[in-house]
Amino acid sequence: MRRSSRKSGSAAIPVTSSSGVSDLFRCATSKAVSKEMERIDQLFHAYMDKSLGMVGPEGIESFCLAVGIDHTDVRILMLAWKMQAEKQGYFTLDEWRRGLSALHADTILKIRKRLQELEKEVMRPTNFLDFYVYAFCYSLAEEKQKNIDIESACELLTVVLGFRFPLQVSKFIEYLKSQNDYKVINLDQWTSFLRFCNEINFPSLDNYDAELAWPLILDNFVEWMRENL
Amino acid sequence: MEEKTLKDMKEEEIRKMEKKTLKDMKEKEEKEEEMRKLELMLSNIEIKGLSNETLDGIKCMTLYTDIYIVATDSNQVFNAKMYSKYKEFHNDYLNDIVLPHLRLHHGEFLLKEFETSWAHYSKVIHNRLHLYFRYLGRYYVAREKLLNLNDVGNRCFIDLLYEEMRSRVMDAVICLINKERDGAKIDRELVKKVVNVFEELKLYEDIFEERIVAGTKDYYSKKASLWISENSCPEFMLKVEECLEKEENMVRDCMKPATEQKIVSEVEHKLLVLHSTQLFDKEYSGLKKLLEDGKVVDLARMYRLYSRVHDGLQHVCLAFKNHVTAQGMALVRQTEIEVNKHVVKNDVGALQNQQVHLIMEFIKLHEVYLSYVNDYFQSNSMFFKVLKEAFEVFCNKSIAGVSPAELLSIFCDQTLKKKSCDNDKSTEDTIDDVVKLLVYISDKDMFAEFHRKKLARRLLFNKSDSDEHERYLLTKLKQKCGRHFTSKMEGMVTDLTLCQDTTASFTDYLRDNPDMNPGFDLTVTVLTIGFWPSYKTCTFNLPPEMLRCVEAFKQFYQTRTKRTRITWLFSLGTCTIVGKFEPKTMDLIVTTLQASVLLLFNSANRLSYSDIKDQLDLPEEDVTRLLHSLSCAKYKILKKEPDTKTISKTDYFEFNSMFTDRLKRIKVPFPLVDDRKKVIETVVSDRRHAIEAAIVRIMKFRKVLGHHQLMSECAEVLSSTFRPDFKIIKLQIESLISRDYLERDSKDHSVYRYLA
């Protein structure tokens, strides 16, 4: 994911596509859509940080409160994924619209409901990898950064994979915290870990072959596991 | 007119017919008469008389004519009868005369009888019969396409005597041959004659060869088990060699050449193949023992014998490999024990001696076993290969933490320092041996780095015995390992040769500019960065005398070239200082830094540690070492207060005016820092770069490559320099991925793609 600096488009409020079309062909659905969009926009403005022109961390916090989830909950991350939000902690109007219109959720209530379904959607194997990779890129703090530090990686792993592969995640985090060779995790290692959870028997590790193309960090992890059995 | 009545006509006809019938009857009678005559004649043909050697000429003619008449008779019935009679004559003879005779005899006599019977039968009897019946053969037999008369003779013989030949005759032959095998002398001519009989009968392969080979099999099966249990390995092999020779001899003499291979392979199989394991594993004389005892004649014989058998040498080869490896490993272990003793006592000199000794032992071992392969194993490539494998095993074992690459470089260093008249072996031969050993060491780059360091020291301190030898070694290394291996070292040697030029020009310069002359004999060696190992540069306060020297050279060098910059390495220089001691004036050969310390005492008699340190502006550890070498070591040029063995920051130093030595000119040693670790670090980091470069090159060329292939190609590319650790290769691959040089294929995670 390329990081490009986004200036918030706060000043210009782009008109929805439907209203861009000539009024002659406006149909009932598009009217409904535009209505939905209006409500979404309203929500946006409710949580928007005026000085930034987009929803900031505080806005998100209050939004979460309203929806009834913790702001560290994985579902907000999933929402961010749906929005394809670029910067962690901020939602631009475009992103907001993208996410919520995809969910067809224009009220808090609907959002609450849709979030349950969203969870299921993300869990589908085809989407999960995408979400997983997105989570990594989303957590990259700065522009040109390519790695996440160990601490954040551990937290992110718990959030994103903890419910699905609890044993692997907890052991891996234990290993990461105990070793000194690696101070950061890069994307290649991140994606390989998911593959590791999917393919390798745990905790037996009997089908792991260090001669294959697994990243060295996983070779070391397996070695550590075997030593500390 | 006579009227012929029908009756008349009929009567005439009848009469005609009667006449005819009569005529026919008469003819028939005549014919029958003839036939009877002929039959009589046939049955009368006295063949019995044929057995006699001489036959009446007239009788011959009579017989031939009789047969001729019968054969030419218009009635062809007799031809067939004659043909069968012909056969009958043969069979009668065989049954009545030949067979009974054969049955009367046994053994050798049987063979004689067999041979003579055949000779008589085929030459005399058969030929005669053939003679008489020739007319029949020419026309009747050819026309009816029957078996021609010649072959009939053979056929009859074969039909009647087949079993006899196969069993009794062949038994007799085998018996005779076995007698010869057991050592008796036999009548080989007889065997040859028997062979000829079979050849003429075209039964050589079917009967003779087959049974002879079977007989050989039996004979040697029995002998093999007997001999194997009775004899030691060398004795057995000797027997085998003799047997093979004898068999070849016999077959060539008596039988057809094609049989040789069949017999020999039977012998080989029974003697060499079936019992090979038993033979090799013999406890006191088996393969292992032969190698241990160095029984080269027996080993050579074993090679000769087993090289005849398909895949026969595998076992021998393996035993050889194990033996050499065991020898090498024993040396390694022994040296390890010795070395550890010296390490405990901190005896550096003895330690080095052991290390050098090990290399010499390796060289000797190599010579011995190389000669084995060349002299006794007929330079077989399989044996070269296992020799290499064996050496690769123990030549890569570290001794007390010192890698073999380093050991070899130490050995090299000593060899090149020594005077060439020392060894009985010329230095060049030793250098050749070193290069041969280097081939087996996997960390060649480690050797290169150590050698470079030591070479630098030798060149700078003029310890090298001969420039020629240095160059010779470098040439050999270049041949074996490539240009890049020796490029830096060659540069170093070249630098020194250029130095002579520079020194000459410098002397001229000083002559032309006398005011620049520092007043001392100054030699400056200019080193090209990159060729030489990197040395720590230290800036410190030079004594004024030296400052003048430095200035002079600097000015001179500016005149030569304005572009290059020179940095001074004082830690590598040497200095000869005249020490005016009270007992006598002496020359002290010291390093530049030591000299600087001593020169301080020209202006002050007594100095404290901190004084010295401040004045020189050197780091503490250097100061400590310098002072130690001048006050606590072999030559106490400075007096130390307090007079302890170690330097402390509160010490005071004084010029020792009473210092003296037996010699007028002494070298004050300055122990060098152990930079081994640095060398190893340099090599390790160079390796990382080399691995990365290799990976990029390979991927650039291949574009897409699987993990395993990349790893193995990488290892192969680098194999001439060192053996890369797979973990490090993996690390570099990952590093390249994170820097976007490579990526993993999205579908198959073990495949990499090159990102341009």
Side-chain angles (χ1 to χ4, degrees), chain B residues 176-201:
Chain B
L176 203 62
I177 301 263
N178 282 351
K179 263 203 209 139
E180 189 183 63
R181 285 174 177 154
D182 284 336
K185 219 164 182 326
I186 60 160
D187 183 359
R188 278 205 181 163
E189 288 306 313
L190 182 56
V191 179
K192 279 193 219 180
K193 285 186 190 156
V194 174
V195 168
N196 280 334
V197 174
F198 278 98
E199 267 191 76
E200 284 172 29
L201 287 171

Short mmCIF file of all heavy atoms in Angstrom, two decimals, chain B residues 176-201:
data_model
loop_
_atom_site.label_atom_id
_atom_site.label_comp_id
_atom_site.label_asym_id
_atom_site.label_seq_id
_atom_site.Cartn_x
_atom_site.Cartn_y
_atom_site.Cartn_z
N LEU B 176 39.62 -83.91 -16.99
CA LEU B 176 40.99 -83.63 -17.40
C LEU B 176 41.38 -82.20 -17.05
O LEU B 176 42.46 -81.94 -16.49
CB LEU B 176 41.09 -83.86 -18.91
CG LEU B 176 42.48 -84.15 -19.45
CD1 LEU B 176 43.02 -85.42 -18.83
CD2 LEU B 176 42.43 -84.28 -20.96
N ILE B 177 40.51 -81.29 -17.38
CA ILE B 177 40.78 -79.88 -17.11
C ILE B 177 40.96 -79.66 -15.61
O ILE B 177 41.86 -78.94 -15.17
CB ILE B 177 39.63 -79.00 -17.63
CG1 ILE B 177 39.43 -79.18 -19.11
CG2 ILE B 177 39.84 -77.54 -17.25
CD1 ILE B 177 40.08 -78.17 -19.98
N ASN B 178 40.10 -80.27 -14.85
CA ASN B 178 40.21 -80.09 -13.40
C ASN B 178 41.52 -80.64 -12.87
O ASN B 178 42.11 -80.12 -11.93
CB ASN B 178 39.03 -80.76 -12.69
CG ASN B 178 37.77 -79.92 -12.78
OD1 ASN B 178 37.83 -78.78 -13.22
ND2 ASN B 178 36.65 -80.48 -12.38
N LYS B 179 41.97 -81.72 -13.53
CA LYS B 179 43.27 -82.25 -13.11
C LYS B 179 44.34 -81.20 -13.29
O LYS B 179 45.21 -81.02 -12.44
CB LYS B 179 43.61 -83.48 -13.98
CG LYS B 179 43.26 -84.79 -13.36
CD LYS B 179 44.10 -85.91 -13.96
CE LYS B 179 43.27 -87.21 -13.88
NZ LYS B 179 43.37 -88.04 -15.05
N GLU B 180 44.25 -80.50 -14.42
CA GLU B 180 45.24 -79.46 -14.66
C GLU B 180 45.10 -78.35 -13.63
O GLU B 180 46.09 -77.82 -13.13
CB GLU B 180 45.10 -78.88 -16.07
CG GLU B 180 46.27 -77.96 -16.38
CD GLU B 180 46.17 -77.28 -17.73
OE1 GLU B 180 45.22 -76.50 -17.94
OE2 GLU B 180 47.08 -77.52 -18.55
N ARG B 181 43.88 -78.02 -13.34
CA ARG B 181 43.65 -76.97 -12.34
C ARG B 181 44.26 -77.36 -11.01
O ARG B 181 44.74 -76.52 -10.27
CB ARG B 181 42.17 -76.71 -12.18
CG ARG B 181 41.58 -75.93 -13.34
CD ARG B 181 40.10 -75.81 -13.22
NE ARG B 181 39.57 -75.01 -14.32
CZ ARG B 181 38.35 -75.10 -14.80
NH1 ARG B 181 37.53 -76.00 -14.28
NH2 ARG B 181 37.95 -74.33 -15.78
N ASP B 182 44.20 -78.65 -10.73
CA ASP B 182 44.75 -79.09 -9.45
C ASP B 182 46.26 -79.17 -9.47
O ASP B 182 46.89 -79.43 -8.46
CB ASP B 182 44.18 -80.47 -9.09
CG ASP B 182 42.75 -80.34 -8.60
OD1 ASP B 182 42.41 -79.24 -8.12
OD2 ASP B 182 42.00 -81.33 -8.68
N GLY B 183 46.81 -78.98 -10.64
CA GLY B 183 48.26 -78.87 -10.68
C GLY B 183 48.96 -79.90 -11.54
O GLY B 183 50.15 -79.79 -11.80
N ALA B 184 48.20 -80.90 -12.00
CA ALA B 184 48.88 -81.93 -12.80
C ALA B 184 49.09 -81.44 -14.22
O ALA B 184 48.44 -80.49 -14.66
CB ALA B 184 48.04 -83.19 -12.78
N LYS B 185 49.96 -82.14 -14.91
CA LYS B 185 50.18 -81.78 -16.30
C LYS B 185 49.31 -82.68 -17.15
O LYS B 185 49.26 -83.89 -16.95
CB LYS B 185 51.66 -82.04 -16.64
CG LYS B 185 52.24 -80.97 -17.55
CD LYS B 185 53.73 -80.99 -17.56
CE LYS B 185 54.30 -79.90 -18.42
NZ LYS B 185 53.58 -79.53 -19.60
N ILE B 186 48.64 -82.10 -18.11
CA ILE B 186 47.77 -82.94 -18.95
C ILE B 186 48.12 -82.77 -20.41
O ILE B 186 48.92 -81.90 -20.78
CB ILE B 186 46.27 -82.56 -18.76
CG1 ILE B 186 46.06 -81.10 -19.17
CG2 ILE B 186 45.84 -82.78 -17.34
CD1 ILE B 186 44.62 -80.80 -19.48
N ASP B 187 47.50 -83.59 -21.21
CA ASP B 187 47.75 -83.55 -22.64
C ASP B 187 46.84 -82.52 -23.28
O ASP B 187 45.69 -82.80 -23.61
CB ASP B 187 47.48 -84.96 -23.21
CG ASP B 187 47.80 -85.04 -24.69
OD1 ASP B 187 48.20 -84.00 -25.26
OD2 ASP B 187 47.63 -86.12 -25.26
N ARG B 188 47.38 -81.32 -23.43
CA ARG B 188 46.54 -80.24 -23.96
C ARG B 188 46.21 -80.48 -25.42
O ARG B 188 45.16 -80.06 -25.90
CB ARG B 188 47.27 -78.91 -23.82
CG ARG B 188 47.11 -78.34 -22.43
CD ARG B 188 47.28 -76.88 -22.45
NE ARG B 188 47.17 -76.30 -21.12
CZ ARG B 188 47.59 -75.08 -20.83
NH1 ARG B 188 48.17 -74.36 -21.77
NH2 ARG B 188 47.44 -74.60 -19.61
N GLU B 189 47.10 -81.17 -26.11
CA GLU B 189 46.84 -81.44 -27.54
C GLU B 189 45.57 -82.21 -27.70
O GLU B 189 44.78 -81.97 -28.62
CB GLU B 189 48.02 -82.22 -28.13
CG GLU B 189 49.28 -81.39 -28.31
CD GLU B 189 49.03 -80.15 -29.11
OE1 GLU B 189 48.38 -80.23 -30.17
OE2 GLU B 189 49.46 -79.05 -28.68
N LEU B 190 45.36 -83.14 -26.79
CA LEU B 190 44.15 -83.96 -26.85
C LEU B 190 42.91 -83.09 -26.71
O LEU B 190 41.94 -83.21 -27.47
CB LEU B 190 44.20 -85.00 -25.73
CG LEU B 190 43.03 -85.98 -25.66
CD1 LEU B 190 42.87 -86.71 -26.97
CD2 LEU B 190 43.26 -86.97 -24.53
N VAL B 191 42.98 -82.20 -25.75
CA VAL B 191 41.85 -81.29 -25.54
C VAL B 191 41.58 -80.49 -26.80
O VAL B 191 40.45 -80.32 -27.24
CB VAL B 191 42.11 -80.35 -24.35
CG1 VAL B 191 40.94 -79.39 -24.14
CG2 VAL B 191 42.39 -81.14 -23.09
N LYS B 192 42.69 -80.02 -27.39
CA LYS B 192 42.53 -79.23 -28.62
C LYS B 192 41.84 -80.04 -29.70
O LYS B 192 40.98 -79.56 -30.42
CB LYS B 192 43.92 -78.80 -29.12
CG LYS B 192 44.49 -77.61 -28.42
CD LYS B 192 45.69 -77.08 -29.18
CE LYS B 192 46.74 -76.66 -28.19
NZ LYS B 192 47.94 -76.14 -28.81
N LYS B 193 42.25 -81.31 -29.79
CA LYS B 193 41.65 -82.14 -30.83
C LYS B 193 40.17 -82.32 -30.58
O LYS B 193 39.36 -82.26 -31.51
CB LYS B 193 42.35 -83.51 -30.84
CG LYS B 193 43.73 -83.47 -31.46
CD LYS B 193 44.31 -84.87 -31.58
CE LYS B 193 45.77 -84.78 -31.97
NZ LYS B 193 46.50 -86.00 -31.55
N VAL B 194 39.83 -82.58 -29.34
CA VAL B 194 38.41 -82.74 -29.00
C VAL B 194 37.63 -81.48 -29.35
O VAL B 194 36.52 -81.52 -29.88
CB VAL B 194 38.25 -83.08 -27.50
CG1 VAL B 194 36.79 -83.10 -27.10
CG2 VAL B 194 38.91 -84.43 -27.20
N VAL B 195 38.25 -80.34 -29.03
CA VAL B 195 37.59 -79.07 -29.36
C VAL B 195 37.33 -78.99 -30.85
O VAL B 195 36.26 -78.57 -31.30
CB VAL B 195 38.48 -77.90 -28.90
CG1 VAL B 195 37.97 -76.59 -29.48
CG2 VAL B 195 38.51 -77.80 -27.40
N ASN B 196 38.33 -79.42 -31.63
CA ASN B 196 38.16 -79.37 -33.08
C ASN B 196 37.00 -80.22 -33.53
O ASN B 196 36.26 -79.85 -34.44
CB ASN B 196 39.44 -79.87 -33.76
CG ASN B 196 40.48 -78.77 -33.80
OD1 ASN B 196 40.12 -77.60 -33.78
ND2 ASN B 196 41.73 -79.14 -33.83
N VAL B 197 36.87 -81.42 -32.94
CA VAL B 197 35.74 -82.30 -33.30
C VAL B 197 34.44 -81.55 -33.11
O VAL B 197 33.59 -81.51 -34.00
CB VAL B 197 35.75 -83.57 -32.43
CG1 VAL B 197 34.50 -84.39 -32.72
CG2 VAL B 197 37.00 -84.38 -32.68
N PHE B 198 34.31 -80.95 -31.94
CA PHE B 198 33.05 -80.25 -31.67
C PHE B 198 32.83 -79.10 -32.64
O PHE B 198 31.71 -78.81 -33.04
CB PHE B 198 33.04 -79.74 -30.23
CG PHE B 198 32.65 -80.78 -29.24
CD1 PHE B 198 33.60 -81.48 -28.53
CD2 PHE B 198 31.31 -81.09 -29.03
CE1 PHE B 198 33.23 -82.46 -27.63
CE2 PHE B 198 30.94 -82.06 -28.12
CZ PHE B 198 31.90 -82.76 -27.41
N GLU B 199 33.95 -78.46 -32.96
CA GLU B 199 33.81 -77.34 -33.90
C GLU B 199 33.32 -77.81 -35.24
O GLU B 199 32.46 -77.19 -35.87
CB GLU B 199 35.15 -76.64 -34.06
CG GLU B 199 35.32 -75.50 -33.09
CD GLU B 199 36.53 -74.66 -33.42
OE1 GLU B 199 36.46 -73.88 -34.39
OE2 GLU B 199 37.52 -74.80 -32.70
N GLU B 200 33.91 -78.94 -35.68
CA GLU B 200 33.48 -79.45 -36.99
C GLU B 200 32.03 -79.86 -36.97
O GLU B 200 31.33 -79.77 -37.97
CB GLU B 200 34.37 -80.63 -37.38
CG GLU B 200 35.75 -80.19 -37.86
CD GLU B 200 36.67 -81.37 -38.07
OE1 GLU B 200 36.15 -82.46 -38.39
OE2 GLU B 200 37.88 -81.20 -37.90
N LEU B 201 31.58 -80.34 -35.83
CA LEU B 201 30.19 -80.74 -35.70
C LEU B 201 29.28 -79.56 -35.43
O LEU B 201 28.07 -79.71 -35.28
CB LEU B 201 30.04 -81.74 -34.55
CG LEU B 201 30.58 -83.13 -34.84
CD1 LEU B 201 30.59 -83.96 -33.57
CD2 LEU B 201 29.72 -83.82 -35.89
#
